[in-house]
Amino acid sequence: MLPRIARGEIQLPDFQRGYVWDEERIRSLLVTIAQGHPLGVVMTLQTGNDQVRFKPKPIEGIEVESDPVLLVLDGQQRLTSLSQALSGDGVMETHDTRGKLVRRKFFIDIEQAVKDPRNLDEALKSLPGDGVVRENFGRDVALDVSTTEKQREHGYFPASLVYGDEGTAWLFEYEDPGVAKTFLNTVVTPMKSYAVPSIELDQQTSKEAVATVFEKVNQGGMKLTVFELLTAKFAGDADYYHATGTDFRLKDDWEETTRVIRKYPVLESIEETEFLQAGDATGQPPRRDGHHSAQGRHPRSPAGRLPSLDREGA
């Protein structure tokens, strides 16, 4: 699946949120892959669906201009983590446990992994992106694996070399050929052959079924907001496109709306979900001029108005 992501065959619907996983979740995911443990199913949708017109965007960190074959409905955080940590230079922008923005690169301690291949939690390390661990407020260097030579010296194998021939070449020069061979057979090869479980929805899948997928996703993992659920529900509405000749993007509509309501000091703190709830509270959708529509219709919505929310569900 990762090679297909790199080629741009697998992308995201453009309304999907950004990448938000922290370094410990990424590390835990890599441990899961390394030990061959089950991973949550990734759900994708074939492009070319007549009922759903999702605009695509590449997975974060991937630069391609080709059209995708599949769009990820569930599994963005996992696939982004794997594609960034296990390819390229392996350096990722993420957050630590305190929420601080950091750059991290992941390594596998060869000796530790060979010693107990069934328990790789201790062997998989999250280090600063430059490969240098500092202490004493940055004055002292506790560990330096910033170069290939230093990585071999300390026995720290970059996780980004698991795929491709570079990893084999790296191990070929390792000081202990026996340990290198064992590590290759018990850790690297199983990781390379790990198949991410996936469900692929075909081109005949209805937009109602796609909306249901996002509702189910909201029950676990990274919670979606009500606004994100509605964005998913109305994004790429084919009926709206056929009627108007353009796509309705709730996120774009909200950006235009904010430019209007921010002119009113009393509305400066209103967020997107609150704005939608305001329309639901009055029985009429809010308009960008700060008043409620007399006709109860919004000119840009697939349903002719901004979608209202179920107050109990909100």
Side-chain angles (χ1 to χ4, degrees), residues 13 39 41 141 205 220 279 297 301:
L39 182 67
V41 174
V141 174
T205 304
R297 299 181 64 81
S301 166

Side-chain angles (χ1 to χ4, degrees), residues 290-303:
H291 302 286
H292 291 289
S293 169
Q295 291 78 27
R297 299 181 64 81
H298 188 286
R300 297 176 61 83
S301 166

